[in-house]
Short mmCIF file of all heavy atoms in Angstrom, two decimals:
data_model
loop_
_atom_site.label_atom_id
_atom_site.label_comp_id
_atom_site.label_asym_id
_atom_site.label_seq_id
_atom_site.Cartn_x
_atom_site.Cartn_y
_atom_site.Cartn_z
N ARG A 152 -19.02 -5.52 -19.18
CA ARG A 152 -18.04 -6.10 -20.04
C ARG A 152 -16.73 -5.29 -20.08
O ARG A 152 -16.79 -4.01 -20.01
CB ARG A 152 -18.58 -6.08 -21.45
CG ARG A 152 -17.89 -6.80 -22.55
CD ARG A 152 -18.86 -6.69 -23.73
NE ARG A 152 -18.02 -6.75 -24.97
CZ ARG A 152 -17.97 -7.87 -25.66
NH1 ARG A 152 -18.49 -9.04 -25.26
NH2 ARG A 152 -17.26 -7.86 -26.82
N LEU A 153 -15.62 -6.01 -19.92
CA LEU A 153 -14.40 -5.28 -19.95
C LEU A 153 -13.55 -5.90 -21.16
O LEU A 153 -13.52 -7.07 -21.22
CB LEU A 153 -13.51 -5.36 -18.77
CG LEU A 153 -14.23 -4.95 -17.42
CD1 LEU A 153 -13.43 -5.45 -16.15
CD2 LEU A 153 -14.44 -3.52 -17.44
N VAL A 154 -13.00 -5.08 -22.00
CA VAL A 154 -12.21 -5.57 -23.07
C VAL A 154 -10.68 -5.37 -22.71
O VAL A 154 -10.34 -4.22 -22.43
CB VAL A 154 -12.47 -4.85 -24.37
CG1 VAL A 154 -11.59 -5.40 -25.54
CG2 VAL A 154 -13.97 -5.04 -24.80
N VAL A 155 -9.85 -6.44 -22.68
CA VAL A 155 -8.50 -6.34 -22.24
C VAL A 155 -7.65 -6.85 -23.27
O VAL A 155 -7.74 -7.95 -23.77
CB VAL A 155 -8.50 -7.31 -21.03
CG1 VAL A 155 -7.10 -7.49 -20.46
CG2 VAL A 155 -9.41 -6.73 -19.88
N ALA A 156 -6.61 -6.08 -23.51
CA ALA A 156 -5.57 -6.47 -24.44
C ALA A 156 -4.68 -7.56 -23.94
O ALA A 156 -4.33 -7.58 -22.77
CB ALA A 156 -4.65 -5.29 -24.87
N ARG A 157 -4.29 -8.50 -24.82
CA ARG A 157 -3.42 -9.61 -24.37
C ARG A 157 -1.99 -8.96 -24.04
O ARG A 157 -1.23 -9.58 -23.23
CB ARG A 157 -3.17 -10.47 -25.54
CG ARG A 157 -2.10 -11.62 -25.37
CD ARG A 157 -2.63 -12.83 -24.90
NE ARG A 157 -1.77 -13.99 -25.14
CZ ARG A 157 -2.31 -15.19 -25.36
NH1 ARG A 157 -3.59 -15.40 -25.22
NH2 ARG A 157 -1.49 -16.23 -25.52
N GLY A 158 -1.74 -7.74 -24.52
CA GLY A 158 -0.47 -7.08 -24.09
C GLY A 158 -0.38 -6.59 -22.69
O GLY A 158 0.68 -6.12 -22.31
N LEU A 159 -1.39 -6.72 -21.92
CA LEU A 159 -1.27 -6.41 -20.52
C LEU A 159 -0.57 -7.50 -19.82
O LEU A 159 -0.79 -8.70 -20.06
CB LEU A 159 -2.81 -6.28 -19.99
CG LEU A 159 -3.27 -5.09 -19.37
CD1 LEU A 159 -3.23 -3.95 -20.40
CD2 LEU A 159 -4.74 -5.19 -19.00
N HIS A 160 0.24 -7.14 -18.90
CA HIS A 160 1.08 -8.11 -18.16
C HIS A 160 0.11 -9.28 -17.59
O HIS A 160 -0.95 -8.95 -17.09
CB HIS A 160 1.66 -7.38 -16.89
CG HIS A 160 2.68 -8.12 -16.23
ND1 HIS A 160 2.50 -9.33 -15.63
CD2 HIS A 160 4.02 -7.82 -16.04
CE1 HIS A 160 3.65 -9.75 -15.03
NE2 HIS A 160 4.52 -8.85 -15.24
N PRO A 161 0.48 -10.47 -17.77
CA PRO A 161 -0.31 -11.51 -17.38
C PRO A 161 -0.83 -11.46 -15.93
O PRO A 161 -1.90 -11.77 -15.54
CB PRO A 161 0.40 -12.87 -17.67
CG PRO A 161 1.76 -12.42 -18.23
CD PRO A 161 1.64 -10.91 -18.58
N GLN A 162 0.11 -10.92 -15.06
CA GLN A 162 -0.26 -10.89 -13.61
C GLN A 162 -1.34 -9.72 -13.50
O GLN A 162 -2.17 -9.78 -12.51
CB GLN A 162 1.00 -10.67 -12.79
CG GLN A 162 1.90 -11.80 -12.77
CD GLN A 162 2.77 -11.81 -11.56
OE1 GLN A 162 2.72 -11.07 -10.63
NE2 GLN A 162 3.75 -12.80 -11.53
N TYR A 163 -1.28 -8.63 -14.19
CA TYR A 163 -2.32 -7.65 -14.07
C TYR A 163 -3.62 -8.23 -14.56
O TYR A 163 -4.62 -7.91 -13.90
CB TYR A 163 -2.02 -6.50 -15.08
CG TYR A 163 -0.76 -5.69 -14.83
CD1 TYR A 163 -0.28 -4.88 -15.80
CD2 TYR A 163 -0.05 -5.74 -13.66
CE1 TYR A 163 0.94 -4.21 -15.61
CE2 TYR A 163 1.12 -5.17 -13.48
CZ TYR A 163 1.64 -4.39 -14.40
OH TYR A 163 2.74 -3.62 -14.27
N ARG A 164 -3.66 -9.02 -15.54
CA ARG A 164 -4.88 -9.68 -16.00
C ARG A 164 -5.42 -10.62 -14.92
O ARG A 164 -6.67 -10.76 -14.71
CB ARG A 164 -4.68 -10.39 -17.37
CG ARG A 164 -4.43 -9.27 -18.51
CD ARG A 164 -4.42 -9.95 -19.82
NE ARG A 164 -3.13 -10.48 -20.19
CZ ARG A 164 -2.90 -11.72 -20.46
NH1 ARG A 164 -3.86 -12.60 -20.61
NH2 ARG A 164 -1.55 -12.15 -20.92
N ALA A 165 -4.56 -11.23 -14.28
CA ALA A 165 -4.94 -12.10 -13.16
C ALA A 165 -5.48 -11.35 -12.02
O ALA A 165 -6.53 -11.70 -11.47
CB ALA A 165 -3.75 -13.05 -12.67
N VAL A 166 -4.83 -10.32 -11.71
CA VAL A 166 -5.38 -9.40 -10.61
C VAL A 166 -6.71 -8.89 -10.91
O VAL A 166 -7.63 -8.94 -10.11
CB VAL A 166 -4.33 -8.26 -10.27
CG1 VAL A 166 -4.98 -7.24 -9.24
CG2 VAL A 166 -3.03 -8.79 -9.73
N LEU A 167 -6.82 -8.44 -12.19
CA LEU A 167 -8.13 -7.91 -12.65
C LEU A 167 -9.26 -8.93 -12.42
O LEU A 167 -10.29 -8.64 -11.87
CB LEU A 167 -8.05 -7.48 -14.09
CG LEU A 167 -9.19 -6.91 -14.75
CD1 LEU A 167 -9.54 -5.47 -14.06
CD2 LEU A 167 -8.98 -6.65 -16.23
N ARG A 168 -8.99 -10.20 -12.79
CA ARG A 168 -9.88 -11.25 -12.69
C ARG A 168 -10.20 -11.53 -11.25
O ARG A 168 -11.38 -11.85 -10.91
CB ARG A 168 -9.52 -12.43 -13.53
CG ARG A 168 -9.68 -12.28 -15.01
CD ARG A 168 -9.37 -13.62 -15.78
NE ARG A 168 -9.97 -13.45 -17.10
CZ ARG A 168 -9.25 -12.89 -18.14
NH1 ARG A 168 -8.00 -12.45 -18.00
NH2 ARG A 168 -9.81 -12.72 -19.33
N THR A 169 -9.19 -11.48 -10.35
CA THR A 169 -9.52 -11.69 -8.89
C THR A 169 -10.49 -10.62 -8.46
O THR A 169 -11.37 -10.93 -7.77
CB THR A 169 -8.15 -11.60 -8.12
OG1 THR A 169 -7.29 -12.52 -8.66
CG2 THR A 169 -8.39 -11.97 -6.64
N TYR A 170 -10.19 -9.34 -8.76
CA TYR A 170 -10.93 -8.25 -8.30
C TYR A 170 -12.47 -8.29 -8.81
O TYR A 170 -13.32 -7.94 -8.11
CB TYR A 170 -10.34 -6.94 -8.65
CG TYR A 170 -9.45 -6.36 -7.58
CD1 TYR A 170 -8.28 -7.07 -7.23
CD2 TYR A 170 -9.67 -5.17 -6.99
CE1 TYR A 170 -7.38 -6.55 -6.40
CE2 TYR A 170 -8.77 -4.62 -6.06
CZ TYR A 170 -7.62 -5.32 -5.72
OH TYR A 170 -6.80 -4.69 -4.75
N MET A 171 -12.55 -8.82 -10.02
CA MET A 171 -13.88 -8.83 -10.69
C MET A 171 -14.66 -10.14 -10.39
O MET A 171 -15.87 -10.13 -10.94
CB MET A 171 -13.74 -8.66 -12.13
CG MET A 171 -13.03 -7.28 -12.57
SD MET A 171 -14.05 -5.89 -12.28
CE MET A 171 -13.01 -4.92 -11.22
N GLN A 172 -14.18 -11.09 -9.70
CA GLN A 172 -14.79 -12.46 -9.78
C GLN A 172 -16.23 -12.49 -9.22
O GLN A 172 -16.92 -13.34 -9.51
CB GLN A 172 -13.91 -13.51 -9.04
CG GLN A 172 -13.66 -13.19 -7.58
CD GLN A 172 -12.60 -14.20 -6.99
OE1 GLN A 172 -12.98 -15.21 -6.43
NE2 GLN A 172 -11.38 -13.84 -7.16
N SER A 173 -16.57 -11.54 -8.40
CA SER A 173 -17.88 -11.66 -7.79
C SER A 173 -18.91 -10.72 -8.47
O SER A 173 -20.03 -10.58 -8.05
CB SER A 173 -17.89 -11.31 -6.22
OG SER A 173 -17.37 -10.10 -6.10
N LEU A 174 -18.40 -9.98 -9.57
CA LEU A 174 -19.31 -8.99 -10.11
C LEU A 174 -20.09 -9.35 -11.29
O LEU A 174 -20.72 -8.48 -11.90
CB LEU A 174 -18.48 -7.80 -10.29
CG LEU A 174 -17.74 -7.18 -9.10
CD1 LEU A 174 -17.00 -5.88 -9.45
CD2 LEU A 174 -18.66 -6.95 -7.99
N ASN A 175 -20.16 -10.60 -11.69
CA ASN A 175 -20.92 -10.96 -12.95
C ASN A 175 -20.57 -10.14 -14.18
O ASN A 175 -21.42 -9.54 -14.72
CB ASN A 175 -22.42 -10.70 -12.52
CG ASN A 175 -23.19 -12.00 -12.54
OD1 ASN A 175 -22.86 -12.80 -13.37
ND2 ASN A 175 -24.10 -12.03 -11.64
N LEU A 176 -19.34 -10.24 -14.56
CA LEU A 176 -18.84 -9.45 -15.74
C LEU A 176 -18.22 -10.42 -16.66
O LEU A 176 -17.83 -11.53 -16.36
CB LEU A 176 -17.67 -8.63 -15.27
CG LEU A 176 -17.86 -7.52 -14.33
CD1 LEU A 176 -16.42 -7.04 -13.99
CD2 LEU A 176 -18.64 -6.33 -14.99
N GLU A 177 -18.10 -9.87 -17.86
CA GLU A 177 -17.43 -10.56 -18.95
C GLU A 177 -16.13 -9.92 -19.18
O GLU A 177 -16.14 -8.70 -19.36
CB GLU A 177 -18.37 -10.50 -20.20
CG GLU A 177 -17.91 -11.33 -21.32
CD GLU A 177 -18.87 -11.06 -22.50
OE1 GLU A 177 -19.48 -9.95 -22.62
OE2 GLU A 177 -18.99 -11.94 -23.33
N ILE A 178 -14.99 -10.60 -19.20
CA ILE A 178 -13.76 -10.05 -19.58
C ILE A 178 -13.23 -10.71 -20.82
O ILE A 178 -13.09 -11.94 -20.83
CB ILE A 178 -12.66 -10.29 -18.44
CG1 ILE A 178 -13.21 -9.60 -17.07
CG2 ILE A 178 -11.32 -9.71 -18.81
CD1 ILE A 178 -12.26 -9.71 -15.91
N VAL A 179 -13.11 -10.00 -21.83
CA VAL A 179 -12.82 -10.53 -23.18
C VAL A 179 -11.58 -9.84 -23.83
O VAL A 179 -11.26 -8.71 -23.38
CB VAL A 179 -14.01 -10.40 -24.19
CG1 VAL A 179 -15.18 -11.16 -23.62
CG2 VAL A 179 -14.35 -8.90 -24.45
N GLY A 180 -11.07 -10.51 -24.88
CA GLY A 180 -10.02 -9.83 -25.64
C GLY A 180 -8.65 -10.46 -25.44
O GLY A 180 -7.81 -10.28 -26.42
N ASP A 181 -8.42 -10.99 -24.30
CA ASP A 181 -6.93 -11.45 -24.12
C ASP A 181 -6.63 -12.99 -24.39
O ASP A 181 -5.59 -13.40 -24.05
CB ASP A 181 -6.45 -10.99 -22.70
CG ASP A 181 -7.37 -11.61 -21.62
OD1 ASP A 181 -8.42 -12.14 -21.85
OD2 ASP A 181 -6.85 -11.65 -20.44
N ASP A 182 -7.71 -13.60 -24.82
CA ASP A 182 -7.46 -15.06 -25.04
C ASP A 182 -6.78 -15.37 -26.38
O ASP A 182 -6.18 -16.37 -26.52
CB ASP A 182 -8.87 -15.82 -24.89
CG ASP A 182 -9.94 -15.15 -25.75
OD1 ASP A 182 -9.70 -14.02 -26.22
OD2 ASP A 182 -11.01 -15.77 -25.90
N ASP A 183 -6.84 -14.39 -27.30
CA ASP A 183 -6.32 -14.69 -28.61
C ASP A 183 -5.12 -13.88 -28.89
O ASP A 183 -5.15 -12.70 -28.97
CB ASP A 183 -7.43 -14.33 -29.71
CG ASP A 183 -7.01 -14.60 -31.07
OD1 ASP A 183 -5.90 -14.92 -31.23
OD2 ASP A 183 -7.86 -14.33 -31.99
N PRO A 184 -4.01 -14.50 -29.02
CA PRO A 184 -2.70 -13.77 -29.23
C PRO A 184 -2.65 -13.01 -30.61
O PRO A 184 -1.78 -12.11 -30.72
CB PRO A 184 -1.54 -14.77 -29.09
CG PRO A 184 -2.28 -16.06 -29.27
CD PRO A 184 -3.66 -15.93 -28.92
N THR A 185 -3.47 -13.32 -31.59
CA THR A 185 -3.44 -12.72 -32.79
C THR A 185 -4.21 -11.45 -32.93
O THR A 185 -4.16 -10.68 -33.89
CB THR A 185 -3.85 -13.71 -33.89
OG1 THR A 185 -5.30 -13.88 -33.71
CG2 THR A 185 -3.16 -14.97 -33.86
N MET A 186 -4.92 -11.08 -31.86
CA MET A 186 -5.85 -9.95 -31.89
C MET A 186 -5.08 -8.64 -31.96
O MET A 186 -4.14 -8.37 -31.21
CB MET A 186 -6.64 -10.03 -30.62
CG MET A 186 -7.85 -9.14 -30.82
SD MET A 186 -9.34 -9.48 -29.99
CE MET A 186 -9.79 -11.10 -30.33
N SER A 187 -5.43 -7.83 -33.01
CA SER A 187 -4.80 -6.50 -33.10
C SER A 187 -5.52 -5.40 -32.24
O SER A 187 -6.62 -5.70 -31.75
CB SER A 187 -4.83 -6.10 -34.56
OG SER A 187 -6.19 -5.72 -34.93
N LEU A 188 -4.94 -4.21 -32.19
CA LEU A 188 -5.56 -3.16 -31.50
C LEU A 188 -7.01 -2.88 -32.13
O LEU A 188 -7.97 -2.67 -31.34
CB LEU A 188 -4.73 -1.93 -31.58
CG LEU A 188 -3.94 -1.31 -30.40
CD1 LEU A 188 -3.36 -0.11 -30.69
CD2 LEU A 188 -5.01 -1.15 -29.21
N ASP A 189 -7.00 -2.85 -33.42
CA ASP A 189 -8.30 -2.65 -34.05
C ASP A 189 -9.33 -3.70 -33.71
O ASP A 189 -10.48 -3.39 -33.48
CB ASP A 189 -8.17 -2.67 -35.67
CG ASP A 189 -7.50 -1.28 -36.10
OD1 ASP A 189 -7.58 -0.36 -35.28
OD2 ASP A 189 -6.87 -1.34 -37.21
N ASP A 190 -8.93 -4.93 -33.66
CA ASP A 190 -9.77 -5.99 -33.29
C ASP A 190 -10.39 -5.77 -31.90
O ASP A 190 -11.55 -5.94 -31.63
CB ASP A 190 -9.09 -7.39 -33.37
CG ASP A 190 -8.64 -7.77 -34.62
OD1 ASP A 190 -9.21 -7.32 -35.61
OD2 ASP A 190 -7.68 -8.54 -34.70
N LEU A 191 -9.50 -5.31 -31.04
CA LEU A 191 -9.95 -5.07 -29.73
C LEU A 191 -10.99 -3.93 -29.61
O LEU A 191 -12.02 -4.00 -28.97
CB LEU A 191 -8.76 -4.64 -28.78
CG LEU A 191 -7.78 -5.79 -28.32
CD1 LEU A 191 -6.54 -5.20 -27.87
CD2 LEU A 191 -8.40 -6.70 -27.36
N VAL A 192 -10.65 -2.91 -30.38
CA VAL A 192 -11.58 -1.75 -30.40
C VAL A 192 -12.91 -2.23 -30.93
O VAL A 192 -13.99 -1.74 -30.46
CB VAL A 192 -11.02 -0.61 -31.28
CG1 VAL A 192 -12.09 0.49 -31.46
CG2 VAL A 192 -9.80 0.04 -30.60
N ASN A 193 -12.88 -3.15 -31.84
CA ASN A 193 -14.21 -3.65 -32.39
C ASN A 193 -14.94 -4.45 -31.38
O ASN A 193 -16.21 -4.70 -31.47
CB ASN A 193 -13.96 -4.51 -33.75
CG ASN A 193 -13.62 -3.59 -34.91
OD1 ASN A 193 -13.99 -2.40 -34.77
ND2 ASN A 193 -12.85 -4.14 -35.80
N LEU A 194 -14.23 -4.98 -30.42
CA LEU A 194 -14.98 -5.77 -29.28
C LEU A 194 -15.73 -4.81 -28.37
O LEU A 194 -16.53 -5.29 -27.55
CB LEU A 194 -13.99 -6.56 -28.55
CG LEU A 194 -13.46 -7.83 -29.25
CD1 LEU A 194 -12.48 -8.45 -28.25
CD2 LEU A 194 -14.56 -8.89 -29.53
N VAL A 195 -15.33 -3.54 -28.40
CA VAL A 195 -16.01 -2.60 -27.44
C VAL A 195 -17.47 -2.36 -27.96
O VAL A 195 -17.60 -1.82 -29.03
CB VAL A 195 -15.22 -1.17 -27.40
CG1 VAL A 195 -15.87 -0.26 -26.53
CG2 VAL A 195 -13.78 -1.49 -26.91
#
Side-chain angles (χ1 to χ4, degrees):
Chain A
R152 187 176 156 96
L153 303 174
V154 179
V155 173
R157 172 93 160 209
L159 241 54
H160 194 299
Q162 293 202 6
Y163 300 162
R164 291 186 274 126
V166 172
L167 184 66
R168 285 190 163 85
T169 305
Y170 268 63
M171 299 289 124
Q172 64 189 265
S173 59
L174 300 185
N175 245 325
L176 296 170
E177 187 185 26
I178 299 180
V179 298
D181 62 342
D182 48 350
D183 177 1
T185 64
M186 193 147 314
S187 70
L188 250 184
D189 284 339
D190 297 336
L191 286 167
V192 172
N193 288 332
L194 286 179
V195 175

